[in-house]
Amino acid sequence: MRAIVLDAPGPPEALAVRELPVPEPEPGQVLIRVEAFGLNRSELHTRLGLAEGVTFPRVLGIEAAGVVERCPGGEFPVGAQVFAMMGGMGRTFDGGYAEYTCVPATQVLRFRSDLPWSTLGAVPEMLQTAHGSMTVGLGVRDGQSILVRGGTSSVGMAVAVLAQRRAMTVFATTRNPAKARALTDLGVDHVLLDDGDVAAQVRAVLPEGVDTALELVGTPTLPDTLRATRVGGVVCFAGMLSNEWTVPDFYPIGYLPRGVRLSAYGGDASDLPAEVLQEFLDAVADGSAVVPVDRVYPFDRIVEAHTRMEAGEATGKIVVTTR
């Protein structure tokens, strides 16, 4: 099989397409014929040498979309459409950047859809993180307001889609004026140009601040996001587009605005119920929801795809197809 291998941290050109043996699944594992996979900042962190616990050479990829090829334990029937995600994929064992991937059955979700694989490949991690952040991280309620800091990222756009389906008022940020139209077209209520003082822009619309806020940029913008949130509101830290994720000398009383709650989210496949996944895919199929796909690349253009992701040029998810 063809696989994309990283021998050691490096630039996009360090990703090499090679021939590797097809993995042999053991009981409790699922061998998946990969049809498509999305690119994620997690894989960028791994390629840059910022991820912990990674050994090389490694096939990257924390997610994959495809069809069950073999399943010795019988957890899934051969031929079933499945997503695989998280749980060490692409870090502690080889991941989805390949024509076949072998993963624990606990990291696999079954679905049924006639959507093209180029669309389905964008869904797993993006939907899991968006849904988990909103439910576990923020505990959102229908009709609330939400600020998405990093709104043109794939997760940010997915949150906007899910929030609209819950009749929420959506504020979303972008640093690039050229990307504002994409958020408007998505149905975002208030598109904010991130000038470093988003809190003032939010409070010009909602003087008390938003009910909830999702921080996807990282620690550099987190204080401003906290200031944009009302007393009793919740901010969830779930992304690091800036590649900065620690707060030096953190003093909670001085850092957190009075009465604003800060949570964090990082989950796995178990946080995405099968019925939520299927309902979303059905909504995309009937046109009542969208999957924010930026561009689709063939397998042998992985260097170009990673270059675009690292440059921050994408609006939505970058997807790679294997065939």
Side-chain angles (χ1 to χ4, degrees):
M1 70 171 188
R2 292 184 305 161
I4 297 165
V5 181
L6 181 68
D7 289 318
E13 291 76 14
L15 296 166
V17 178
R18 294 185 187 151
E19 288 289 332
L20 295 180
V22 176
E24 287 289 334
E26 300 177 355
Q29 296 180 326
V30 183
L31 179 65
I32 299 170
R33 186 179 77 242
V34 178
E35 298 290 343
F37 55 86
L39 301 194
N40 301 281
R41 298 292 293 191
S42 172
E43 294 132 21
L44 174 60
H45 295 158
T46 301
R47 180 171 62 72
L48 294 175
L50 301 176
E52 296 181 356
V54 181
T55 56
F56 298 97
R58 177 63 64 217
V59 176
L60 300 187
I62 65 170
E63 65 177 320
V67 176
V68 174
E69 184 78 8
R70 290 177 58 197
C71 185
E75 292 90 348
F76 298 92
V78 172
Q81 292 177 297
V82 292
F83 291 138
M85 68 191 91
M86 320 297 276
M89 286 183 67
R91 287 191 171 186
T92 58
F93 60 90
D94 286 343
Y97 284 23
E99 291 181 318
Y100 293 88
T101 188
C102 185
V103 302
T106 53
Q107 301 305 128
V108 178
L109 292 174
R110 186 181 181 184
F111 66 91
R112 294 181 177 84
S113 179
D114 292 326
L115 293 169
W117 287 109
S118 56
T119 298
L120 292 168
V123 171
E125 185 275 344
M126 180 176 66
L127 182 62
Q128 179 266 327
T129 302
H131 176 76
S133 296
M134 294 176 70
T135 54
V136 178
L138 292 171
V140 300
R141 299 192 301 273
D142 293 357
Q144 286 187 316
S145 55
I146 185 169
L147 167 63
V148 185
R149 194 73 177 253
T152 56
S153 65
S154 60
V155 172
M157 297 183 82
V159 168
V161 171
L162 296 180
Q164 290 174 78
R165 293 176 62 77
R166 301 192 62 166
M168 300 180 74
T169 300
V170 182
F171 294 73
T173 71
T174 178
R175 292 173 297 166
N176 186 346
K179 292 185 176 184
R181 177 65 182 273
L183 294 174
T184 301
D185 291 347
L186 198 63
V188 169
D189 299 288
H190 302 280
V191 178
L192 309 178
L193 187 61
D194 195 339
D195 58 1
D197 190 7
V198 166
Q201 297 182 58
V202 168
R203 290 181 181 273
V205 180
L206 294 177
E208 294 185 356
V210 290
D211 299 310
T212 62
L214 182 61
E215 180 58 74
L216 296 173
V217 176
T219 54
T221 56
L222 180 57
D224 186 46
T225 299
L226 288 161
R227 289 192 297 269
T229 308
R230 67 168 175 82
V231 173
V234 184
V235 176
C236 177
F237 187 95
M240 299 159 289
L241 296 170
S242 63
N243 291 345
E244 295 184 44
W245 50 86
T246 60
V247 179
D249 302 320
F250 177 62
Y251 172 50
I253 293 177
Y255 191 88
L256 298 173
R258 183 175 63 88
V260 177
R261 301 164 187 171
L262 176 61
S263 71
Y265 177 74
D268 57 28
S270 64
D271 290 338
L272 181 59
E275 61 273 16
V276 171
L277 169 61
Q278 190 62 54
E279 190 264 343
F280 177 77
L281 295 176
D282 292 344
V284 174
D286 68 25
S288 61
V290 297
V291 176
V293 175
D294 175 72
R295 290 189 183 179
V296 179
Y297 290 89
F299 198 78
D300 58 3
R301 288 172 62 190
I302 186 63
V303 171
E304 184 179 345
H306 253 252
T307 299
R308 181 171 177 80
M309 175 174 63
E310 185 170 5
E313 297 172 348
T315 302
K317 192 84 165 188
I318 297 173
V319 177
V320 175
T321 55
T322 61
R323 293 166 178 81

